[in-house]
Amino acid sequence: MDCDRDCGSDAGAEWVWVRRPVEAEAAAAAAGWPADEEARPLKVVFASPATYFTDAAPIGNGRLGAMVWGGVESERLQLNHDTLWTGGPGNYTNPKAPAVLSNVRSLVYNGKYPEATSAAYDLSGDQTQVYQPLGDINMIFGKHIKHTNYKRELDLHTATVNVTYSVDEVLYSREHFASNPHQVIVTKISANKPGNISFTVSLTTPLDHKILVTDANEIIMEGSCPGERPQNDNSASDHPIGIKFCAILYLQTNGANSKVEVIKDKMLKLDGADSVVLILAAGTSFEGPFIKPSESKLDPKVSAFTTLSVARSMSYSQLKAYHMDDYQSLFHRVSLQLSQGSNYQLADNRIGQSAQAGSQDATVSNYAFPIADCTRSAVLNDSVKPTVDRIITFKDNEDPSLVELLFQFGRYLLISCSRPGTQISNLQGIWSNDPSPPWDAAPHPNINLQMNYWPALPCNLSECQEPLFDFIGSLSVNGAKTAKVNYEASGWVSHQVTDLWAKTSPDAGDPVWALWPMGGPWLATHLWEHYGFTLDKQFLEKTAYPLLEGSSSFLLDWLIQGHREYLETNPSTSPEHYFIAPDGKKACVSYSTTMDMSIIREVFSAVILSADILGKSDTNVVQRIKKALPNLPPVKVARDGTRLSGS
């Protein structure tokens, strides 16, 4: 970086060098930072048990998730499984749509935007299905427990939630994690004095279910999701079969005098143990987005027992070691250090070495930026404060270590809710405690789904994108039907919201959100970004290019000749935004919004570049794109700085 040219008013500030991980580790060791990245604290700290769902601490392995509430008298682990949704595969076509589309386009062409907005309601489709909670692990330890020294913390280095507190002279500890290698949620409860672990434990769920408690320290919960989206009128008796599930909770007890007994055929009571390990395994009958739950051949009980049989044969330390190796192989790829300390010396050493070598050591691995005045001891002290207190005081101290924590917390969440072979991160990642969650907890490709995956590549979590690529492939199958029937277009399309079943039709209701066929094209740009980071030509040829080409085929057919002799999108909306039409009325449907044209240009550019790399530049789609690009409306900037394309 040329500081004389680029630094401006910060030219006199202190700077720290950021470099590739291997270089950073060597330089940090030379400067006195601990060699072990884990020695740098990254903990979300809570001073009390959770009062609300959003106060609980999340853990997840991509498929199974839990929110740890951390109560003393009672503990709740709220559970999720990524394939628990209502309904089944839908029909994402509307044969009446072409006639409506023609009318809407005519109204837009003639400047009747409020009328076009009203007419566009008839282009909407059905609502999405709804993400469902798996249930809860409930533990009751007693009433009126007087405790001290309470702490609950999420350790981002180990992906564990730890709860500790003291009752008289006994120190109690709980440790929770979600294992990706063994596909289970694990909890260890222990005390520093033997025979002090006693509680009752049960499984519950708001879904239709039955409970079976065995004599083998097991609680088995079997149930099913609603076979259709819940409606106000539930009087119909012919509800279709929904996704089935099974969750099994197994107790491994330790202690010569420990006893376990069955209570009311629904729960287990443990007395006098030294420690106990709880292992939760779960399976569902979901076999894919195109297979009806009634036709699935998967037995969730068999799946859950198969998973559990492997995990229960291992010790707690073995389960945790596998979990740590797996998680840290992803998490420890990236470190971020903004707080000052010996890094001043690190920068000075680097600059001095460059001068001695007589080189312009200015590769892309080295960038300079100003750092805050914060000592290492302050960082360590801040790490034990409740995180909410650090957030409150941030406006005064601009604590850089809190920014580090926030950055790594985002990476932690992506690792925890999206892994190869799982479903995509939904609107809430994987965590939800409500059978009717806000916005159905459905993935929204009008920005939310994309945002969930933006950190994957720059934060070195490429594998976490794999569920997204699998899902785009499913959207292309359903989206080809939607494009053909609804819009008489080729290729594939997907709209503003989707679900487990890869819904591609418009949402129900107001076109301000429902009428937005750019969801699929925007998702397709992630495929090109992945190639740009990895230069994986096989991925580009086998996965990315076919999907990008299919999206471009739709866009080429979607564009029509407009008033201004440009190729326009009509109808067009800017997601969830209204405007005031020339007649003073509110409208949302017009033509060629900046959002549309920006995404179309990006997809078209990705196809041209991909085709050049793959030797496909002579195909019909590529030639049509090259002809269309000069005829797209240019992006303009209004007096107030607003970027405009069409209306």
Side-chain angles (χ1 to χ4, degrees), residues 229-298:
R229 181 186 174 91
Q231 304 293 334
N232 293 331
D233 180 12
N234 291 317
S235 59
S237 59
D238 58 344
H239 293 307
I241 295 173
I243 294 173
K244 299 177 182 178
F245 67 89
C246 177
I248 306 172
L249 182 65
Y250 175 73
L251 275 64
Q252 292 178 339
T253 60
N254 179 41
N257 299 316
S258 65
K259 296 185 298 183
V260 180
E261 61 178 310
V262 178
I263 305 296
K264 297 180 180 180
D265 295 325
K266 289 188 176 182
M267 62 185 73
L268 295 173
K269 183 179 181 182
L270 172 66
D271 278 319
D274 298 344
S275 65
V276 61
V277 176
L278 287 72
I279 304 175
L280 187 283
T284 80
S285 63
F286 177 74
E287 202 168 349
F290 311 122
I291 299 176
K292 295 180 181 179
S294 61
E295 297 174 357
S296 171
K297 295 179 173 57
L298 291 181

Coordinates of all heavy atoms in Angstrom, one line a residue, residues 229-298:
R229 N -48.9 -26.9 5.2 CA -48.8 -25.6 6.0 C -50.0 -25.4 6.9 O -51.1 -25.5 6.4 CB -48.6 -24.5 5.0 CG -48.4 -23.1 5.7 CD -48.4 -22.0 4.8 NE -48.4 -20.7 5.5 CZ -47.3 -20.1 5.8 NH1 -46.1 -20.6 5.4 NH2 -47.3 -18.9 6.5
P230 N -49.8 -25.2 8.2 CA -50.9 -25.1 9.1 C -51.8 -23.9 8.7 O -51.3 -22.8 8.3 CB -50.3 -24.8 10.4 CG -48.9 -25.4 10.3 CD -48.5 -25.2 8.9
Q231 N -53.1 -24.1 8.6 CA -54.1 -23.1 8.3 C -55.0 -22.8 9.5 O -55.0 -23.6 10.5 CB -54.9 -23.5 7.1 CG -54.1 -23.9 5.9 CD -53.4 -22.7 5.2 OE1 -53.8 -21.6 5.4 NE2 -52.3 -23.0 4.5
N232 N -55.7 -21.7 9.4 CA -56.6 -21.4 10.5 C -57.7 -22.5 10.7 O -58.1 -22.8 11.8 CB -57.3 -20.1 10.3 CG -56.3 -18.9 10.4 OD1 -55.3 -19.0 11.1 ND2 -56.6 -17.9 9.7
D233 N -58.1 -23.1 9.5 CA -59.1 -24.1 9.6 C -58.4 -25.5 9.5 O -57.9 -25.9 8.5 CB -60.0 -24.0 8.3 CG -61.1 -25.1 8.3 OD1 -61.3 -25.8 9.3 OD2 -61.8 -25.2 7.3
N234 N -58.4 -26.2 10.7 CA -57.7 -27.5 10.8 C -58.7 -28.6 10.9 O -58.5 -29.7 11.4 CB -56.8 -27.5 12.0 CG -55.6 -26.6 11.8 OD1 -55.0 -26.6 10.7 ND2 -55.2 -25.8 12.8
S235 N -60.0 -28.4 10.3 CA -61.0 -29.3 10.5 C -60.9 -30.5 9.5 O -61.5 -31.5 9.7 CB -62.4 -28.7 10.3 OG -62.5 -28.1 9.0
A236 N -60.1 -30.3 8.4 CA -60.0 -31.4 7.4 C -59.4 -32.6 8.0 O -58.5 -32.6 8.8 CB -59.2 -30.9 6.2
S237 N -59.9 -33.8 7.6 CA -59.5 -35.0 8.1 C -58.5 -35.8 7.2 O -58.0 -36.8 7.6 CB -60.7 -35.9 8.4 OG -61.4 -36.2 7.2
D238 N -58.3 -35.2 6.0 CA -57.5 -35.9 5.1 C -56.1 -35.2 4.9 O -55.6 -35.0 3.8 CB -58.2 -36.0 3.7 CG -58.5 -34.6 3.2 OD1 -58.5 -33.6 3.9 OD2 -58.9 -34.5 2.0
H239 N -55.5 -34.8 6.0 CA -54.2 -34.1 6.0 C -53.2 -35.1 5.4 O -53.2 -36.3 5.8 CB -53.8 -33.7 7.4 CG -54.6 -32.6 7.9 ND1 -54.9 -31.4 7.2 CD2 -55.2 -32.4 9.1 CE1 -55.6 -30.6 8.0 NE2 -55.9 -31.2 9.1
P240 N -52.3 -34.7 4.5 CA -51.3 -35.6 4.0 C -50.2 -35.9 5.0 O -50.1 -35.2 6.1 CB -50.7 -34.7 2.8 CG -50.9 -33.3 3.2 CD -52.3 -33.3 3.9
I241 N -49.5 -36.9 4.8 CA -48.4 -37.4 5.7 C -47.3 -36.4 5.6 O -46.9 -36.0 4.5 CB -48.0 -38.8 5.4 CG1 -49.1 -39.8 5.6 CG2 -46.8 -39.2 6.2 CD1 -48.8 -41.2 5.1
G242 N -46.8 -36.0 6.8 CA -45.6 -35.1 6.8 C -44.3 -35.8 7.1 O -44.3 -37.1 7.3
I243 N -43.3 -35.1 7.2 CA -41.9 -35.7 7.5 C -42.0 -36.3 8.9 O -42.4 -35.7 9.9 CB -40.9 -34.6 7.4 CG1 -40.7 -34.1 6.0 CG2 -39.5 -35.1 7.9 CD1 -39.8 -32.9 5.8
K244 N -41.5 -37.5 9.0 CA -41.4 -38.2 10.3 C -40.0 -37.9 10.9 O -39.0 -37.7 10.2 CB -41.6 -39.7 10.1 CG -43.0 -40.0 9.6 CD -43.2 -41.5 9.4 CE -44.5 -41.9 8.8 NZ -44.6 -43.4 8.5
F245 N -40.0 -38.0 12.2 CA -38.7 -37.9 12.9 C -38.6 -38.8 14.1 O -39.6 -39.3 14.6 CB -38.5 -36.4 13.3 CG -39.4 -35.9 14.4 CD1 -39.1 -36.1 15.8 CD2 -40.6 -35.3 14.1 CE1 -40.0 -35.7 16.8 CE2 -41.5 -34.9 15.1 CZ -41.2 -35.1 16.4
C246 N -37.3 -39.0 14.6 CA -37.1 -39.7 15.8 C -35.9 -39.1 16.5 O -34.8 -38.8 15.8 CB -36.8 -41.2 15.5 SG -36.4 -42.1 17.0
A247 N -36.0 -38.8 17.7 CA -34.9 -38.3 18.5 C -34.7 -39.3 19.7 O -35.6 -39.7 20.4 CB -35.1 -36.9 19.1
I248 N -33.4 -39.6 20.0 CA -33.1 -40.5 21.1 C -32.1 -39.9 22.0 O -31.0 -39.4 21.5 CB -32.5 -41.9 20.5 CG1 -33.4 -42.5 19.5 CG2 -32.3 -42.9 21.6 CD1 -32.8 -43.7 18.7
L249 N -32.4 -39.9 23.3 CA -31.5 -39.3 24.3 C -31.0 -40.5 25.1 O -31.7 -41.2 25.7 CB -32.2 -38.3 25.2 CG -31.4 -37.6 26.2 CD1 -30.3 -36.7 25.6 CD2 -32.3 -36.8 27.2
Y250 N -29.7 -40.6 25.2 CA -29.0 -41.7 25.9 C -28.1 -41.1 27.0 O -27.5 -40.1 26.9 CB -28.1 -42.5 24.9 CG -27.3 -43.5 25.6 CD1 -27.9 -44.7 26.1 CD2 -25.9 -43.4 25.8 CE1 -27.2 -45.7 26.7 CE2 -25.2 -44.4 26.4 CZ -25.8 -45.6 26.8 OH -25.1 -46.5 27.4
L251 N -28.2 -41.7 28.2 CA -27.4 -41.3 29.4 C -26.3 -42.3 29.7 O -26.5 -43.5 29.8 CB -28.3 -41.2 30.6 CG -29.1 -39.9 30.8 CD1 -30.1 -39.7 29.7 CD2 -29.8 -39.9 32.2
Q252 N -25.1 -41.8 29.8 CA -23.9 -42.5 30.2 C -23.6 -42.0 31.6 O -23.2 -40.8 31.8 CB -22.7 -42.3 29.3 CG -22.8 -42.9 27.9 CD -21.6 -42.6 27.1 OE1 -20.8 -41.7 27.4 NE2 -21.4 -43.4 26.0
T253 N -23.8 -42.8 32.7 CA -23.6 -42.3 34.0 C -22.3 -42.8 34.6 O -21.8 -43.9 34.2 CB -24.8 -42.8 34.9 OG1 -24.8 -44.2 34.9 CG2 -26.1 -42.2 34.4
N254 N -21.8 -42.1 35.5 CA -20.5 -42.5 36.2 C -20.7 -42.2 37.7 O -21.1 -41.2 38.1 CB -19.4 -41.6 35.6 CG -18.0 -41.9 36.3 OD1 -17.7 -43.1 36.5 ND2 -17.3 -40.9 36.6
G255 N -20.3 -43.2 38.4 CA -20.5 -43.1 39.9 C -21.0 -44.4 40.5 O -21.9 -45.0 40.0
A256 N -20.3 -44.9 41.5 CA -20.6 -46.2 42.1 C -22.0 -46.3 42.7 O -22.6 -47.3 42.7 CB -19.5 -46.6 43.2
N257 N -22.5 -45.2 43.2 CA -23.8 -45.2 43.8 C -24.9 -44.5 43.0 O -26.0 -44.2 43.5 CB -23.7 -44.4 45.2 CG -22.7 -45.1 46.1 OD1 -22.7 -46.3 46.3 ND2 -21.8 -44.3 46.8
S258 N -24.6 -44.3 41.7 CA -25.6 -43.6 40.9 C -26.8 -44.6 40.5 O -26.6 -45.8 40.4 CB -25.0 -43.1 39.6 OG -24.5 -44.2 38.8
K259 N -28.0 -44.0 40.4 CA -29.2 -44.8 40.1 C -30.0 -44.1 39.0 O -30.1 -42.8 39.1 CB -30.0 -45.1 41.3 CG -29.4 -45.9 42.4 CD -30.4 -46.2 43.5 CE -30.8 -44.9 44.2 NZ -31.7 -45.2 45.3
V260 N -30.6 -44.8 38.1 CA -31.5 -44.2 37.1 C -32.8 -45.0 37.2 O -32.8 -46.2 37.2 CB -30.9 -44.3 35.7 CG1 -31.9 -43.7 34.7 CG2 -29.5 -43.7 35.6
E261 N -33.9 -44.2 37.3 CA -35.2 -44.9 37.3 C -36.2 -44.1 36.3 O -36.0 -43.0 36.0 CB -35.8 -44.9 38.7 CG -36.0 -43.5 39.3 CD -36.7 -43.6 40.7 OE1 -37.7 -44.3 40.8 OE2 -36.1 -43.0 41.6
V262 N -37.2 -44.9 35.8 CA -38.1 -44.3 34.9 C -39.3 -43.7 35.7 O -39.8 -44.3 36.6 CB -38.7 -45.4 34.0 CG1 -39.7 -44.8 33.0 CG2 -37.6 -46.1 33.2
I263 N -39.7 -42.5 35.3 CA -40.7 -41.7 36.0 C -41.9 -41.5 35.0 O -41.7 -40.9 33.9 CB -40.2 -40.4 36.5 CG1 -39.0 -40.5 37.4 CG2 -41.4 -39.6 37.2 CD1 -39.3 -41.3 38.7
K264 N -43.0 -42.0 35.3 CA -44.3 -41.8 34.6 C -44.1 -42.2 33.1 O -44.8 -41.7 32.2 CB -44.7 -40.4 34.7 CG -45.1 -39.9 36.1 CD -45.5 -38.5 36.1 CE -45.9 -38.0 37.5 NZ -46.3 -36.6 37.5
D265 N -43.2 -43.2 32.9 CA -43.0 -43.7 31.5 C -42.6 -42.6 30.5 O -42.7 -42.8 29.3 CB -44.3 -44.4 31.0 CG -44.6 -45.6 31.8 OD1 -43.7 -46.3 32.2 OD2 -45.8 -45.9 31.9
K266 N -42.2 -41.4 31.0 CA -41.9 -40.3 30.1 C -40.5 -39.7 30.4 O -40.0 -38.9 29.5 CB -43.0 -39.3 30.1 CG -44.3 -39.7 29.5 CD -45.3 -38.5 29.4 CE -46.5 -39.0 28.7 NZ -47.5 -37.8 28.5
M267 N -40.0 -39.9 31.5 CA -38.7 -39.3 31.9 C -37.8 -40.2 32.7 O -38.3 -41.2 33.2 CB -39.0 -38.0 32.6 CG -39.7 -38.1 33.9 SD -40.1 -36.5 34.7 CE -41.4 -36.0 33.6
L268 N -36.6 -39.8 32.8 CA -35.6 -40.5 33.6 C -35.2 -39.7 34.8 O -35.0 -38.4 34.7 CB -34.4 -40.9 32.8 CG -34.6 -41.8 31.6 CD1 -33.3 -41.9 30.8 CD2 -35.1 -43.2 32.1
K269 N -35.0 -40.3 35.9 CA -34.5 -39.7 37.1 C -33.2 -40.2 37.5 O -33.0 -41.5 37.7 CB -35.5 -39.8 38.3 CG -35.1 -39.1 39.5 CD -36.1 -39.2 40.7 CE -35.6 -38.5 41.9 NZ -36.6 -38.7 43.0
L270 N -32.2 -39.4 37.6 CA -30.8 -39.8 37.9 C -30.5 -39.3 39.3 O -30.7 -38.1 39.7 CB -29.8 -39.2 36.9 CG -28.3 -39.4 37.2 CD1 -27.9 -40.8 37.2 CD2 -27.5 -38.6 36.3
D271 N -29.9 -40.2 40.2 CA -29.6 -39.8 41.5 C -28.1 -40.2 41.9 O -27.7 -41.3 41.5 CB -30.5 -40.5 42.6 CG -31.8 -39.7 42.7 OD1 -31.8 -38.5 42.8 OD2 -32.8 -40.4 42.8
G272 N -27.4 -39.3 42.5 CA -26.1 -39.7 43.1 C -25.0 -40.0 42.2 O -24.1 -40.7 42.5
A273 N -25.0 -39.4 41.0 CA -23.9 -39.7 40.1 C -22.7 -38.8 40.3 O -22.9 -37.6 40.8 CB -24.4 -39.6 38.6
D274 N -21.6 -39.2 39.9 CA -20.4 -38.3 39.9 C -20.4 -37.4 38.7 O -20.1 -36.2 38.8 CB -19.1 -39.2 39.9 CG -19.0 -40.0 41.1 OD1 -19.7 -39.8 42.1 OD2 -18.1 -41.0 41.1
S275 N -20.8 -38.0 37.6 CA -21.0 -37.2 36.3 C -21.9 -38.0 35.4 O -22.2 -39.2 35.6 CB -19.6 -37.0 35.6 OG -19.1 -38.2 35.2
V276 N -22.4 -37.3 34.4 CA -23.3 -38.0 33.4 C -23.0 -37.3 32.0 O -22.8 -36.1 31.9 CB -24.7 -37.9 33.8 CG1 -25.2 -36.4 33.9 CG2 -25.6 -38.7 32.8
V277 N -23.1 -38.1 31.0 CA -23.0 -37.7 29.6 C -24.3 -38.0 28.9 O -24.8 -39.1 29.0 CB -21.8 -38.3 28.9 CG1 -21.8 -37.9 27.4 CG2 -20.5 -38.0 29.5
L278 N -24.9 -36.9 28.3 CA -26.1 -37.1 27.6 C -25.8 -37.0 26.1 O -25.1 -36.1 25.7 CB -27.1 -36.0 27.9 CG -27.8 -36.1 29.3 CD1 -26.9 -35.7 30.4 CD2 -29.0 -35.1 29.3
I279 N -26.2 -37.9 25.3 CA -26.0 -38.0 23.9 C -27.3 -38.0 23.2 O -28.2 -38.8 23.4 CB -25.2 -39.2 23.4 CG1 -23.9 -39.2 24.2 CG2 -24.9 -39.2 21.9 CD1 -23.0 -40.5 23.9
L280 N -27.5 -37.0 22.3 CA -28.8 -36.9 21.5 C -28.5 -37.1 20.1 O -27.7 -36.4 19.4 CB -29.4 -35.5 21.7 CG -30.8 -35.1 21.2 CD1 -30.8 -34.8 19.7 CD2 -31.8 -36.1 21.6
A281 N -29.2 -38.1 19.5 CA -29.1 -38.4 18.1 C -30.5 -38.3 17.5 O -31.5 -38.5 18.2 CB -28.6 -39.8 17.8
A282 N -30.6 -37.9 16.2 CA -31.9 -37.7 15.6 C -31.9 -38.0 14.1 O -30.8 -37.9 13.5 CB -32.4 -36.3 15.8
G283 N -33.0 -38.5 13.6 CA -33.1 -38.7 12.2 C -34.5 -38.4 11.7 O -35.4 -38.2 12.5
T284 N -34.6 -38.1 10.4 CA -35.9 -37.8 9.8 C -36.1 -38.7 8.5 O -35.2 -39.3 8.0 CB -36.1 -36.3 9.4 OG1 -35.4 -36.1 8.2 CG2 -35.5 -35.4 10.5
S285 N -37.3 -38.6 8.0 CA -37.7 -39.4 6.8 C -37.5 -38.5 5.5 O -37.8 -39.0 4.4 CB -39.1 -39.9 6.9 OG -40.0 -38.8 6.9
F286 N -37.0 -37.3 5.7 CA -36.7 -36.5 4.5 C -35.7 -37.2 3.6 O -34.6 -37.4 4.0 CB -36.2 -35.1 4.9 CG -35.9 -34.2 3.7 CD1 -36.9 -33.7 3.0 CD2 -34.6 -33.9 3.4 CE1 -36.7 -32.8 1.9 CE2 -34.3 -33.1 2.3 CZ -35.3 -32.6 1.5
E287 N -36.1 -37.4 2.3 CA -35.3 -38.1 1.4 C -34.8 -37.2 0.2 O -34.1 -37.7 -0.6 CB -36.0 -39.3 0.8 CG -35.1 -40.4 0.3 CD -35.8 -41.7 0.1 OE1 -36.9 -41.9 0.5 OE2 -35.2 -42.6 -0.6
G288 N -35.3 -36.0 0.2 CA -35.0 -35.1 -0.9 C -36.1 -34.2 -1.2 O -37.3 -34.5 -0.9
P289 N -35.8 -33.1 -1.9 CA -36.9 -32.1 -2.2 C -37.9 -32.5 -3.2 O -39.0 -31.9 -3.3 CB -36.1 -30.9 -2.7 CG -34.9 -31.4 -3.3 CD -34.5 -32.6 -2.4
F290 N -37.7 -33.6 -3.9 CA -38.6 -34.0 -4.9 C -39.4 -35.3 -4.5 O -40.2 -35.8 -5.3 CB -37.9 -34.3 -6.2 CG -37.0 -33.1 -6.6 CD1 -35.7 -33.4 -6.9 CD2 -37.5 -31.9 -6.8 CE1 -34.8 -32.3 -7.2 CE2 -36.7 -30.8 -7.1 CZ -35.3 -31.0 -7.3
I291 N -39.2 -35.8 -3.3 CA -39.8 -37.0 -2.8 C -40.9 -36.7 -1.8 O -40.5 -36.1 -0.7 CB -38.8 -38.0 -2.3 CG1 -37.8 -38.4 -3.4 CG2 -39.5 -39.3 -1.8 CD1 -36.7 -39.3 -3.0
K292 N -42.1 -37.1 -2.0 CA -43.1 -36.9 -1.0 C -42.8 -37.6 0.3 O -42.3 -38.8 0.3 CB -44.5 -37.3 -1.5 CG -45.0 -36.6 -2.7 CD -46.3 -37.1 -3.2 CE -46.8 -36.4 -4.4 NZ -48.1 -37.0 -4.9
P293 N -43.1 -37.0 1.5 CA -42.9 -37.7 2.7 C -43.6 -39.1 2.8 O -43.1 -40.1 3.4 CB -43.5 -36.8 3.8 CG -43.4 -35.4 3.2 CD -43.6 -35.6 1.7
S294 N -44.8 -39.2 2.1 CA -45.5 -40.5 2.1 C -44.8 -41.5 1.3 O -45.1 -42.7 1.5 CB -46.9 -40.3 1.6 OG -46.9 -39.8 0.2
E295 N -43.9 -41.1 0.4 CA -43.2 -42.1 -0.4 C -41.8 -42.4 0.0 O -41.0 -43.1 -0.6 CB -43.2 -41.6 -1.9 CG -44.6 -41.5 -2.5 CD -44.6 -40.8 -3.8 OE1 -43.5 -40.4 -4.3 OE2 -45.7 -40.7 -4.4
S296 N -41.4 -41.7 1.1 CA -40.0 -41.9 1.6 C -39.8 -43.3 2.2 O -40.7 -43.8 2.9 CB -39.7 -40.9 2.7 OG -38.4 -41.2 3.3
K297 N -38.6 -43.9 1.9 CA -38.3 -45.2 2.4 C -37.3 -45.1 3.6 O -36.9 -46.1 4.1 CB -37.7 -46.0 1.3 CG -38.7 -46.3 0.2 CD -38.1 -47.2 -0.9 CE -39.1 -47.6 -2.0 NZ -39.8 -46.5 -2.6
L298 N -37.0 -43.9 4.0 CA -36.1 -43.7 5.2 C -36.9 -43.9 6.5 O -38.0 -43.4 6.7 CB -35.5 -42.4 5.2 CG -34.5 -42.1 4.1 CD1 -33.9 -40.6 4.2 CD2 -33.3 -43.1 4.1

